[in-house]
Amino acid sequence: MAEITTEDGVQIDLVSGERMKKLRSMEKIRLILDGVRDGNIVILEEGLSPDEESKLIEVTMTEISPDEFAGIEIESYPQQEPNPGFFSRLFGHNPPNKLTVIGPANRIETLHKDKNLIRALVT
């Protein structure tokens, strides 16, 4: 994990897809939430599966407290499948997201998102 820090700034944790592949789902969620609870912005190279993203939101909701943890803000680019097959569509196979940006809800605000850009304000 690469860390970018500045004095009185924001720490950004850039997590490689290779590292995430070595972790089980709950380990991924803990890695993300521990970083965000510390006030860091976590950027995942390959993102989470839809099930993992749902579980991340579920676990986050149980940890929110008014004085300590405001929750998370999460934005992802969807993985682009050139032509998903019939069975993929039939069984609802959703590929994992690509780049995912996660940060503390009280420090990051998404200003704009489209297929080529995620613009966020970090305070």
Side-chain angles (χ1 to χ4, degrees):
M1 177 180 335
E3 296 178 359
I4 302 169
T5 60
T6 61
E7 229 174 271
D8 297 321
V10 176
Q11 178 171 310
I12 300 174
D13 297 336
L14 307 168
V15 186
S16 72
E18 193 65 33
R19 179 170 183 192
M20 294 298 278
K21 285 178 187 173
K22 295 176 183 177
L23 301 175
R24 295 187 314 255
S25 290
M26 283 309 294
E27 292 172 323
K28 293 176 187 179
I29 290 166
R30 272 290 31 114
L31 174 81
I32 293 164
L33 280 179
D34 290 348
V36 173
R37 284 185 72 106
D38 289 341
N40 304 336
I41 306 299
V42 178
I43 300 177
L44 306 177
E45 177 183 27
E46 293 185 11
L48 300 170
S49 71
D51 288 341
E52 290 170 334
E53 200 167 298
S54 294
K55 188 67 175 172
L56 172 63
I57 292 167
E58 180 183 321
V59 172
T60 299
M61 297 302 288
T62 65
E63 295 188 13
I64 290 177
S65 71
D67 298 330
E68 295 178 23
F69 183 54
I72 63 172
E73 179 76 26
I74 183 169
E75 288 292 345
S76 300
Y77 286 121
Q79 188 73 269
Q80 294 179 351
E81 268 188 284
N83 230 348
F86 171 75
F87 288 110
S88 291
R89 290 190 310 261
L90 180 65
F91 293 111
H93 168 71
N94 295 318
N97 289 316
K98 290 197 292 185
L99 179 74
T100 300
V101 179
I102 308 161
N106 62 344
R107 295 193 66 189
I108 188 169
E109 178 184 350
T110 302
L111 301 175
H112 175 79
K113 179 186 172 194
D114 63 32
K115 67 178 185 170
N116 299 310
L117 174 72
I118 295 175
R119 179 174 291 142
L121 175 65
V122 180
T123 56

